Amino acid sequence: MKRFLRSFAFFAVVVALWEAASRAGWWSPVLVPSPLSIGQYLWTAALDGTLLAAGMVTMTRLMIGYIIGLLLGIPLGLLTARFRFAEDTIGVLALGLQTLPSVCWVPLSLLWFGQTETAMLFIVIMGTLWAVLLATDHGIRQIPPIYRRAATTMGSSGFHLLWNVLLPASLPHLVSGMKQGWAFAWRSLMAAEIYVTVLTGFGLGHLLHYGRELQAMDQVAAIMLVILVVGFVADKALFSPWERFLRKRWGLS
């Protein structure tokens, strides 16, 4: 509670100073909207259902693309960690593509799939896949060799060794990779929704883009705030409990 109150007081002071500076006319409201105007837009968008509908569309796309990225990234990471040929081919490819910004996939995705949901999912998957693959590979390689030798001595091998020894031992690194993959997927989807317009549903990125087109900075700032809050809540609700459990389970806290 003490930490919460300290954080709340800090952000309350920041918002109060921001509002006071806006009322004093230190900058143009066209360029930097006041907190009050941002709050008014959020209230209006929440009442008419615009915000909820856009949020549901965005989260649906995010979850589908993220899950597909996990289903592809974890097995490929296991392969690159276990086999030298996979490490020298898929591993090198993943290491190179990991450094590529997600927005770079937008032109290719539009050329291959057009203005469709598939184009958006492809961008999200590309943002997730390589981070999860590399995290899985790194997690397997960080396992102390004594674990593998002990399991082999007791008769474990093949899939049993992988599923019951190597994968559980790599969980701390794997969860960190999943968290990083979620962050990359979130950023990739925002880039996809800004540049790819589909008629099957308008997400938060579309609202951000239309706010820029209409020079409605209160809408732009409000959607940016929503994106930040969703990312923060996802981290605290999905990944922080896992990380705390694993630190306690592995004796790191």
Side-chain angles (χ1 to χ4, degrees), residues 1 5 68 80 82 163 217:
M1 180 60 67
L5 292 176
I68 294 175
T80 57
R82 292 286 291 163
W163 183 257
M217 293 307 296

Short mmCIF file of all heavy atoms in Angstrom, two decimals, residues 1 5 68 80 82 163 217:
data_model
loop_
_atom_site.label_atom_id
_atom_site.label_comp_id
_atom_site.label_asym_id
_atom_site.label_seq_id
_atom_site.Cartn_x
_atom_site.Cartn_y
_atom_site.Cartn_z
N MET A 1 0.82 -1.20 0.00
CA MET A 1 0.00 0.00 0.00
C MET A 1 0.86 1.26 0.00
O MET A 1 0.54 2.25 -0.67
CB MET A 1 -0.92 -0.02 1.23
CG MET A 1 -1.82 1.19 1.33
SD MET A 1 -2.94 1.36 -0.10
CE MET A 1 -3.97 -0.09 0.15
N LEU A 5 0.67 4.10 -2.85
CA LEU A 5 0.39 5.51 -2.55
C LEU A 5 1.51 6.42 -3.07
O LEU A 5 1.24 7.53 -3.54
CB LEU A 5 0.21 5.69 -1.04
CG LEU A 5 -1.04 5.03 -0.44
CD1 LEU A 5 -1.04 5.19 1.07
CD2 LEU A 5 -2.30 5.63 -1.06
N ILE A 68 0.09 -18.35 -31.70
CA ILE A 68 0.73 -19.01 -32.84
C ILE A 68 2.25 -18.83 -32.77
O ILE A 68 3.02 -19.76 -33.04
CB ILE A 68 0.18 -18.45 -34.17
CG1 ILE A 68 -1.29 -18.82 -34.32
CG2 ILE A 68 0.98 -18.99 -35.36
CD1 ILE A 68 -1.96 -18.21 -35.53
N THR A 80 16.96 -25.78 -32.02
CA THR A 80 18.25 -25.09 -32.14
C THR A 80 19.15 -25.34 -30.94
O THR A 80 20.37 -25.30 -31.07
CB THR A 80 18.04 -23.58 -32.31
OG1 THR A 80 17.28 -23.06 -31.19
CG2 THR A 80 17.27 -23.28 -33.59
N ARG A 82 19.23 -28.23 -29.28
CA ARG A 82 19.60 -29.63 -29.21
C ARG A 82 20.43 -30.11 -30.39
O ARG A 82 21.19 -31.07 -30.27
CB ARG A 82 18.33 -30.49 -29.10
CG ARG A 82 17.58 -30.34 -27.80
CD ARG A 82 18.30 -31.03 -26.67
NE ARG A 82 18.25 -32.48 -26.83
CZ ARG A 82 19.04 -33.33 -26.20
NH1 ARG A 82 19.97 -32.87 -25.38
NH2 ARG A 82 18.94 -34.63 -26.38
N TRP A 163 11.03 -33.20 -21.98
CA TRP A 163 9.79 -32.71 -21.39
C TRP A 163 9.86 -32.63 -19.86
O TRP A 163 9.29 -31.73 -19.26
CB TRP A 163 8.64 -33.63 -21.80
CG TRP A 163 7.29 -33.20 -21.30
CD1 TRP A 163 6.58 -33.71 -20.26
CD2 TRP A 163 6.51 -32.13 -21.83
NE1 TRP A 163 5.40 -33.04 -20.11
CE2 TRP A 163 5.32 -32.07 -21.06
CE3 TRP A 163 6.68 -31.23 -22.88
CZ2 TRP A 163 4.33 -31.14 -21.30
CZ3 TRP A 163 5.68 -30.29 -23.13
CH2 TRP A 163 4.53 -30.25 -22.36
N MET A 217 -5.65 15.49 -31.20
CA MET A 217 -4.58 15.04 -30.32
C MET A 217 -5.08 14.47 -29.01
O MET A 217 -4.40 13.67 -28.37
CB MET A 217 -3.61 16.18 -30.06
CG MET A 217 -2.82 16.63 -31.29
SD MET A 217 -1.97 15.26 -32.11
CE MET A 217 -0.83 14.77 -30.84
#
